[in-house]
Amino acid sequence: MPKRKKTFPCGHKGYGQICHRCTHNQVVERVSLQNQTAKRQAKQAWLASFEQDPIDLSMLPKHVVLKARQIIAELQHHCNYTDFGGKRLRHDRFIISIPITRHYRMLCRDCGNILVPQAVLSHEDYNVCKPGG
Ligand SMILES: [Zn+2]
């Protein structure tokens, strides 16, 4: 005897004891809820991570934030800013400018044996800040 399609209480038609369409939809829904939760948690963790930074990085693109943090962490171990291509500013020898990406640089104050991060500036901001530049 050939299997006959039956109509489930949900209105879908199919074979077997349970509606596979509804089961499938439930799984899809559960996975998408889990994804949403994971995304929300990741976003919250990302927002919270800015509280750990010595300077405000929250306005910067993600890749710049990550690179800036890496440089900040490495500066804490050894102050050789020249390793990162850092240079002293001509008009203020106590400020060191370290390139983060092609478009961003970090300004640090030379406090003797430590460099204290001051700000991350985009190339445009940086040129505006430069006196007489
Ligand atoms: Zn169904």
Side-chain angles (χ1 to χ4, degrees), residues 8 13 27 29 35 42 44 46-47 50-51 53 60-61 69 72 84 92:
F8 295 106
K13 288 181 169 53
V27 171
E29 206 170 298
N35 283 347
Q44 279 166 357
W46 176 246
L47 290 177
F50 290 105
E51 290 165 22
D53 295 323
L60 301 167
R69 282 179 182 162
I72 290 168
F84 309 107
D92 187 343

Side-chain angles (χ1 to χ4, degrees), residues 10 12 19 21-22:
C10 59
H12 294 134
C19 172
R21 247 161 90 184
C22 283

Side-chain angles (χ1 to χ4, degrees), residues 86-100:
K87 287 189 190 121
R88 288 179 189 275
L89 295 192
R90 215 166 292 158
H91 64 269
D92 187 343
R93 307 295 290 170
F94 288 100
I95 301 290
I96 288 144
S97 165
I98 300 171
I100 297 176

Side-chain angles (χ1 to χ4, degrees), residues 2 56 66 68-70 72 76 89 92 95 97 115 120 123:
D56 184 16
L66 296 178
R69 282 179 182 162
Q70 193 190 328
I72 290 168
Q76 284 169 350
L89 295 192
D92 187 343
I95 301 290
S97 165
L115 288 186
V120 173
H123 203 66

Side-chain angles (χ1 to χ4, degrees), residues 18-78:
I18 51 162
C19 172
H20 292 287
R21 247 161 90 184
C22 283
T23 312
H24 175 79
N25 287 345
Q26 278 163 15
V27 171
V28 168
E29 206 170 298
R30 195 175 334 131
V31 168
S32 106
L33 269 176
Q34 281 166 354
N35 283 347
Q36 279 173 31
T37 309
K39 263 189 203 157
R40 203 171 36 237
Q41 283 169 348
K43 194 171 179 196
Q44 279 166 357
W46 176 246
L47 290 177
S49 71
F50 290 105
E51 290 165 22
Q52 312 295 318
D53 295 323
I55 51 173
D56 184 16
L57 302 174
S58 62
M59 302 308 284
L60 301 167
K62 191 170 184 175
H63 70 282
V64 177
V65 172
L66 296 178
K67 190 78 192 293
R69 282 179 182 162
Q70 193 190 328
I71 293 174
I72 290 168
E74 287 187 46
L75 283 176
Q76 284 169 350
H77 298 300
H78 61 102

